[in-house]
Amino acid sequence: MTCELFPGHRTHLPVTALNYHPCKSQILMTVGADGIVTVYNLVSKNAVHHVTEEKNEINALDFCLDGSVFATAGKDRNIRLYDSKTVQLVHMFEAPNFMTVDDLTVTSGHSRRIFALKFHPVECHIFLTGGWDNSVKIWDRRVARAARSVINGPHICGPAIDILDNKILTGSWVAHDALQLWDFRNCQLEKNINFPGNINHGEFLYAAQFCNHHTVIAGGSGTCSAAAINVTTDEVLGEISLTNKPVQTVDSIQDGQLIAVAGIGGNLHTATLC
């Protein structure tokens, strides 16, 4: 593995999320707690665009399927949609102002900061968000204001929302029943997936993702480990321990055959799922 350092427009605050452009592998997007969106060209090795979201701490970032649009969300609860070519803001789903808004409903924006944002893998216009207000909201970017539907319950504190086919996976920062599977069509809970938590420390998940149709991976601060689990049988297929350091992010490719786990300890752990 070779590593390179890219100059940019970052402050001393951390980068909180990054994504490759789904159709242009030379383009890498980063966002941070400083509210800065930066676009890197990995061929020219330069930061080619940067935008600042004033007074915001950005926690989440994702591209739509064809890469034409990306979205950000974070502390200020607004969801911003950008043209990925020009990095110009094209729409903002504004968070409700509780001092002035009288028509507040469950499909209004989030009431507390957002920590996860995920576009639908097939439908370019659909994306999901979740955060501290114990809800996952399903949005259609063709609809100007309100969320299309809402899942009540998940307490999202990191990249812990994923969607595959008509299934939504959530990982909550709660002691029990933290890993859950929902039906995308009716927003009803399908099952609680048994995460191998410690009875004395709970589950408390920060990250969750589908590996494939039958396997998910999730991790957090309860066990300070990430576990790959069969969603049908609840069998634990493998576990990566970070030795008393919370897991904050997970990823997988090749239908879950290659898994990556990282967290507060600063080390990157990779594993193969046999």
Side-chain angles (χ1 to χ4, degrees):
M1 178 184 291
T2 59
C3 298
E4 295 183 77
L5 180 65
F6 288 80
H9 302 273
R10 306 237 68 95
T11 66
H12 64 282
L13 295 173
V15 172
T16 52
L18 54 80
N19 280 85
Y20 282 101
H21 191 290
C23 304
K24 300 176 182 177
S25 60
Q26 76 274 21
I27 299 298
L28 179 67
M29 188 88 61
T30 68
V31 297
D34 50 14
I36 297 176
V37 180
T38 305
V39 183
Y40 293 95
N41 185 306
L42 302 183
V43 176
S44 66
K45 300 181 181 179
N46 289 317
V48 293
H49 292 288
H50 72 280
V51 175
T52 300
E53 298 181 2
E54 298 293 342
K55 299 181 180 180
N56 193 24
E57 298 174 11
I58 308 173
N59 298 319
L61 161 74
D62 200 19
F63 281 96
C64 71
L65 173 65
D66 64 6
S68 61
V69 169
F70 70 90
T72 66
K75 181 181 179 180
D76 70 3
R77 303 176 290 119
N78 296 318
I79 303 165
R80 295 170 174 85
L81 301 178
Y82 293 87
D83 182 295
S84 64
K85 185 175 182 180
T86 64
V87 197
Q88 296 296 307
L89 184 68
V90 294
H91 184 65
M92 183 166 70
F93 291 93
E94 294 190 37
N97 184 330
F98 299 107
M99 301 301 293
T100 61
V101 174
D102 296 325
D103 59 345
L104 193 65
T105 69
V106 293
T107 57
S108 301
H110 287 278
S111 61
R112 300 185 70 185
R113 65 179 65 193
I114 301 168
F115 278 94
L117 187 156
K118 189 72 174 179
F119 270 96
H120 194 286
V122 177
E123 301 288 342
C124 279
H125 301 291
I126 306 299
F127 64 94
L128 293 76
T129 56
W132 278 357
D133 61 359
N134 299 329
S135 69
V136 171
K137 296 181 186 284
I138 302 172
W139 304 84
D140 186 328
R141 60 188 177 98
R142 296 166 295 188
V143 178
R145 288 189 61 191
R148 193 177 81 171
S149 50
V150 179
I151 294 172
N152 292 310
H155 184 68
I156 306 296
C157 295
I161 297 176
D162 203 6
I163 180 168
L164 183 64
D165 295 332
N166 287 314
K167 310 294 183 185
I168 296 172
L169 178 72
T170 61
S172 294
W173 202 79
V174 295
H176 306 291
D177 295 333
L179 191 59
Q180 296 177 304
L181 200 63
W182 307 80
D183 191 312
F184 171 72
R185 295 160 295 189
N186 59 26
C187 295
Q188 296 300 304
L189 179 66
E190 281 200 357
K191 70 172 295 185
N192 294 311
I193 301 171
N194 186 32
F195 185 83
N198 186 310
I199 191 171
N200 296 317
H201 298 98
E203 299 171 15
F204 296 106
L205 300 179
Y206 282 123
Q209 187 183 100
F210 282 106
C211 295
N212 53 50
H213 292 84
H214 309 291
T215 308
V216 300
I217 184 168
S221 61
T223 61
C224 294
S225 66
I229 304 167
N230 184 299
V231 297
T232 303
T233 65
D234 286 344
E235 178 188 1
V236 177
L237 305 175
E239 191 168 3
I240 299 173
S241 174
L242 268 56
T243 314
N244 299 320
K245 301 292 185 181
V247 172
Q248 292 191 298
T249 187
V250 299
D251 199 8
S252 69
I253 59 172
Q254 299 172 4
D255 284 335
Q257 294 304 304
L258 182 60
I259 290 169
V261 176
I264 287 178
N267 294 322
L268 172 66
H269 299 251
T270 62
T272 56
L273 191 60
C274 301

